[in-house]
């Protein structure tokens, strides 16, 4: 381990490891923990050389997580049946006694098509080492997988990773880079054709909403540190979920997403309908005016109500109770504001996270309604593979799980960044206005990246 940072804490973990080696009976998944003073977690994560590298910061700001290495994973590059996923998950839940065990990862937007290499259609990782910050304290967690593994070898793997941990250093300066080229898929002409197809009467009567999206690929003059980009984005959108997944050195998926898929605390579920968008004003008076316009706009209100009705309908078979806001409220971000309705449910006994993912993902806010026909249109016409964009990213745990919908996201590769944005297309949608909405949604991250 380079330097002396956290040396006493990791020495304590090594002593606990030695005790585990001598223990006569242990559960299949063991978690050891020590406390430490807080450090900037993105700086710590950026300095590490071991993969995966994972970052998670919930929208409520109560907790921040950085993790490296892999103790165990669920990884499906090829198509997998949802029932098999649920069975694998249920089998794993009983293998660890610690309430703090968490698997971090994501589910692709469309699990029926090929997905990005490294990320797969579904990938969740139980990290080897995890740092969780709450206030001015950090809990360092070390996970060990003794399920069918040699105990001595598993402990040695943990010691090897500890020895490779680097001390944190400041993030690289957030310098803007030069734009070399940009391409949009679909381009504006094709976008106009797609919107016109969705808004045709004969199509719209059976499929009232399709969320079309665009991939914007920018080639840049130099490679950027993804964790510096995420830190800058985080500063611009502090009331969003902020997360990143880097399974290998060459590709990192980051997101500053305002949208919660769900938060589950035992059998209590919190979710939301987030759909309908306008810009922010230049002053308070203009901002209030634009917000009221959004609340009064029939197209946006209808879009949000469709999302609300769908989510409530999907949750009813899984719940003893479902309640939702009747009136939409305004949810404000740095450059845009959305219509928002909160939804709460009391889940039936036995309902698990993969039941919820099957029911709620993808939401009408990123797919459309009805789900099957909207997804078919996207699959056949949009022209690119969304991968984890508009997927479900977060963590699951026996007692509490949280997932965000991965909108406002970017795939970062050497000298190339791929950005994503979408817009809900319903009857009356104007192609040029919806194209401009995509531009508005990319404004924050482009202003961080590019020196115009």
């Amino acid at each position: 381990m380079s330097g002396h940072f956290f040396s006493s804490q990791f020495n304590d973990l090594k002593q606990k490891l030695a005790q585990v080696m001598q223990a006569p009976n242990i559960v299949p998944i063991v978690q050891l923990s020590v406390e430490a003073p807080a450090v900037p977690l993105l700086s710590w994560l950026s300095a590490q050389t071991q993969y995966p590298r994972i970052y998670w910061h919930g929208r409520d700001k109560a907790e921040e997580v950085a993790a490296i290495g892999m103790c165990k994973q669920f990884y499906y590059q090829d198509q997998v049946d949802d029932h098999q996923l649920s069975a694998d998950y249920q089998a794993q839940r009983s293998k660890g006694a610690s309430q703090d065990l968490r698997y971090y990862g994501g589910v692709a937007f469309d699990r029926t098509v090929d997905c990005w290499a490294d990320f797969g259609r579904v990938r969740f990782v139980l990290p080897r080492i995890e740092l969780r910050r709450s206030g001015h304290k950090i809990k360092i967690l070390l996970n060990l997988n003794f399920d069918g593994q040699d105990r001595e070898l598993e402990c040695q793997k943990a010691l090897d990773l500890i020895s490779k941990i680097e001390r944190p250093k400041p993030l690289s300066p957030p310098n803007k880079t030069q734009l070399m080229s940009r391409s949009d898929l679909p381009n504006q002409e094709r976008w106009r054709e797609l919107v016109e197809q969705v808004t045709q009467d004969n199509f719209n009567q059976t499929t009232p909403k399709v969320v079309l999206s665009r991939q914007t690929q920018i080639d840049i003059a130099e490679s950027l540190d993804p964790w510096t980009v995420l830190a800058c984005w985080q500063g611009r959108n502090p009331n969003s979920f902020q997360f990143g997944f880097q399974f290998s050195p060459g590709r990192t998926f980051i997101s500053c997403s305002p949208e919660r898929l769900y938060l589950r605390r035992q059998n209590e579920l919190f979710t939301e309908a987030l759909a309908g968008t306008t810009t922010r004003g230049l002053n308070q008076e203009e901002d209030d005016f634009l917000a009221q316009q959004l609340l009064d706009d029939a197209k946006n209100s209808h879009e949000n109500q469709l999302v609300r009705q769908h989510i409530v309908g999907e949750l009813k078979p899984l719940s003893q109770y479902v309640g939702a806001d009747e009136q939409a409220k305004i949810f404000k971000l740095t450059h845009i504001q959305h219509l928002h309705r909160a939804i709460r449910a009391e889940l039936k006994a036995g309902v698990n996270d993969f039941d919820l993912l099957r029911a709620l993902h993808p939401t009408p806010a990123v797919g459309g309604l009805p789900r099957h026909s909207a997804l078919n249109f996207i699959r056949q016409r949009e022209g690119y593979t969304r991968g984890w964009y508009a997927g479900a990213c977060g963590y699951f745990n026996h007692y509490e799980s949280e997932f965000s919908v991965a909108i406002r996201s970017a795939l970062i590769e050497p000298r190339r960044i791929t950005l994503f944005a979408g817009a809900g297309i319903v009857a009356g949608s104007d192609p040029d206005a919806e194209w401009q909405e995509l531009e508005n949604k990319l404004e924050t991250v482009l202003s961080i990246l590019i020196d115009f």
Side-chain angles (χ1 to χ4, degrees), residues 119 154 221 228 260 267 301 303 319 333 351 354 384 424 444:
F119 291 84
E154 180 67 3
T228 296
R260 168 175 283 148
N267 288 333
S301 295
E303 182 184 347
S319 308
L333 297 170
V351 172
F354 279 100
Y384 78 97
T444 301

Side-chain angles (χ1 to χ4, degrees), residues 64-243:
E64 182 185 21
V65 174
I68 60 169
M70 184 166 61
C71 173
K72 188 174 175 62
Q73 70 170 340
F74 299 96
Y75 181 29
Y76 303 92
Q77 186 68 45
D78 299 320
Q79 192 159 356
V80 58
D81 181 78
D82 282 345
H83 296 288
Q84 182 63 47
L85 274 176
S86 185
D88 291 350
Y89 167 64
Q90 288 297 92
Q92 194 58 36
R93 285 179 67 171
S94 62
K95 295 189 176 181
S98 173
Q99 295 186 18
D100 277 337
L101 284 173
R102 287 185 189 172
Y103 290 78
Y104 296 90
V107 177
F109 168 75
D110 186 350
R111 300 193 297 286
T112 70
V113 299
D114 288 341
C115 194
W116 304 334
D118 283 348
F119 291 84
R121 304 183 193 213
V122 179
R123 189 167 189 179
F124 287 94
V125 170
L126 176 65
R128 176 66 75 192
I129 291 174
E130 182 181 344
L131 274 60
R132 288 188 205 165
R133 182 192 61 78
S134 181
H136 299 294
K137 289 286 186 181
I138 281 179
K139 184 186 286 186
I140 303 176
L141 303 165
L142 175 66
N143 294 312
L144 302 160
N145 175 22
F146 297 124
D147 187 22
Q149 307 288 321
D150 179 87
R151 191 189 299 193
E152 186 173 343
L153 180 59
E154 180 67 3
C155 290
Q156 189 57 52
K157 287 179 181 177
L159 289 169
D160 288 345
L161 185 61
I162 289 173
S163 71
K164 294 172 182 173
I165 289 176
E166 300 287 343
R167 62 181 292 118
K169 56 188 178 184
L171 288 169
S172 54
N175 295 329
K176 296 183 182 184
T177 187
Q178 183 182 356
L179 175 67
M180 307 302 290
S181 66
R182 168 177 169 165
S183 63
D184 294 312
L185 189 64
N187 61 25
Q188 191 165 5
E189 182 180 353
R190 176 60 175 161
W191 174 265
R192 187 174 291 109
E193 292 173 1
L194 293 174
V195 173
E196 288 170 352
Q197 290 171 22
V198 172
T199 53
Q200 286 177 359
D201 286 345
N202 59 346
F203 181 88
N204 194 255
Q205 286 173 6
T206 58
T207 309
K209 178 180 180 181
V210 176
V211 182
L212 296 176
S213 72
R214 185 186 73 196
Q215 169 184 279
T216 297
Q217 194 171 87
I218 57 174
D219 291 318
I220 53 180
E222 57 193 307
S223 297
L224 298 177
D225 179 0
W227 307 112
T228 296
V229 176
L230 183 56
C232 294
W233 206 353
Q234 184 180 61
R236 304 283 185 94
N237 275 340
N239 54 342
S240 290
F241 291 92
Q242 300 128 21
F243 51 90

